[in-house]
Amino acid sequence: MGAVVGMVPAFPGLRADVTAPPGSDTASVPGGGVVVGWVLVADEQAVGGARVDPVFLAACRAWTPDQFRQEHGPHLGVVVRAA
């Protein structure tokens, strides 16, 4: 998990959905929610040394995909779409 280098607010109308491989037990995993911002995350493996990730609301808190995976499982994905 890289350090957050910067953040900007998201424009209205975006939602983050949590995805999991078929057969995964997701009963205790909160669903996604509204995207409220975007963060620039330092990542030496990404082209240019950084990547942009959504910040979304789920289970009464704001999450980045890295934070969500750390808390609920590395097999989970996050997909942003129009709300």
Side-chain angles (χ1 to χ4, degrees):
M1 189 160 76
V4 172
V5 180
M7 182 175 174
V8 295
F11 56 86
L14 295 177
R15 175 180 175 76
D17 289 330
V18 176
T19 62
S24 298
D25 180 12
T26 58
S28 64
V29 177
V34 176
V35 174
V36 295
W38 296 92
V39 290
L40 183 63
V41 179
D43 183 349
E44 293 180 6
Q45 296 179 0
V47 175
R51 68 178 191 275
V52 176
D53 281 347
V55 177
F56 62 97
L57 301 178
C60 300
R61 78 170 263 201
W63 303 86
T64 66
D66 287 346
Q67 293 167 332
F68 197 82
R69 286 184 197 104
Q70 186 175 17
E71 182 75 20
H72 298 289
H75 63 289
L76 299 172
V78 176
V79 177
V80 175
R81 65 172 181 86

